[in-house]
Amino acid sequence: MTRPRPSVALYPGSFDPITYGHEDIARRALSVADRLIVAVAETSTHVKSSVFDVAERVELIREVFVGEDRIEVKSFEGLLVDFARKQGATLVVRGLRAVSDFEYELQMAQMNQELWPGVETIFLVPEARFSFLSSSLVREVAKLGGDVGSFVSPPVLERLAAKLRHG
Ligand code: PNS
C-alpha cells in the first residue's frame, strides 16, 4: 500500500517582526498540513520600512519555533507561487483577522491562483485576543517606547529593544 505524500503548507509574510498572532496561525496550520514552511518574503506587496532585515527575521522565527519539528523557516525572493512550487507546497496559509484584511487577501489569493492554478490559499482565524495585532503596530509602539512584551515572544522583544537602542 502506498502512503499519501505528507502535505506541505507555506505560510508567507513579512514577519517584521513575528508576533504572537503569527505564531498562533502557524501552529493552527499544523492541523491542516503535516509540515509548515514559514516563508519570509524579500518582497512584500505592502511593507515600506523594515526594522529587521530578512536574515534577522528568519533567525528570530527559528528561535521562536525551536523544537517544533514540523515547522521550518526559509526566506524567498521573487514570486510566492514559484517558491511554493519549488518547495512542493500546494497550500498557502494566511491569517484573517478582520474584514479589513479581506480585500487585500482575496486579491493576493486570486492573483496567485492565476499565476499557478496548482495552489490553494486557505485562511485561518487567530484567537480573538490577537485580532488587533499587527507587525506594523508592534514596530510603531516599540519605536515610540511602548511595551510590546505581550505581543511578541521574548527573543523578539529582546532583539527589538537592542535594535531600537542602537538606532
Ligand atoms: O505579511 P505581508 O507583508 O502581508 O505578506 C505579503 C506577502 C509577502 C505574502 C506578499 O507580498 C507576497 O507574496 N510577496 C512575494 C512576491 C509575490 O509573489 N507577489 C505577488 C503576490 S499576489
Side-chain angles (χ1 to χ4, degrees):
M1 203 173 85
T2 53
R3 282 165 188 258
R5 264 192 306 154
S7 61
V8 185
L10 212 65
Y11 179 28
S14 306
F15 305 107
D16 185 35
I18 184 165
T19 67
Y20 280 143
H22 294 127
E23 290 182 38
D24 183 42
I25 295 293
R27 294 190 178 106
R28 280 170 198 279
L30 294 177
S31 63
V32 294
D34 299 312
R35 283 201 300 123
L36 181 73
I37 301 174
V38 180
V40 182
E42 299 271 357
T43 315
S44 167
T45 313
H46 75 170
V47 172
K48 284 164 208 89
S49 65
S50 57
V51 169
F52 294 107
D53 64 33
V54 168
E56 290 174 312
R57 289 181 230 164
V58 166
E59 208 178 293
L60 276 176
I61 301 169
R62 286 193 179 134
E63 278 183 52
V64 164
F65 293 120
V66 74
E68 296 185 57
D69 296 343
R70 291 163 65 202
I71 301 182
E72 250 182 291
V73 188
K74 296 183 176 184
S75 62
F76 72 100
E77 271 183 86
L79 286 176
L80 170 66
V81 288
D82 291 339
F83 183 67
R85 212 184 334 228
K86 274 187 220 135
Q87 298 296 316
T90 52
L91 204 59
V92 168
V93 172
R94 292 280 291 173
L96 209 53
R97 293 163 300 188
V99 175
S100 51
D101 284 340
F102 184 71
E103 209 168 305
Y104 168 64
E105 293 299 336
L106 182 69
Q107 279 181 335
M108 283 204 300
Q110 290 181 326
M111 176 57 85
N112 285 332
Q113 209 173 63
E114 286 294 318
L115 294 171
W116 181 34
V119 74
E120 280 307 334
T121 301
I122 59 163
F123 298 105
L124 299 178
V125 174
E127 225 183 290
R129 68 194 164 106
F130 301 131
S131 284
F132 67 96
L133 197 49
S134 68
S135 297
S136 56
L137 277 184
V138 166
R139 289 197 301 271
E140 182 172 328
V141 171
K143 276 181 188 166
L144 296 173
D147 179 7
V148 294
S150 39
F151 313 138
V152 297
S153 278
V156 181
L157 187 66
E158 219 171 274
R159 289 277 278 281
L160 204 46
K163 190 97 186 174
L164 296 174
R165 229 183 357 254
H166 298 113

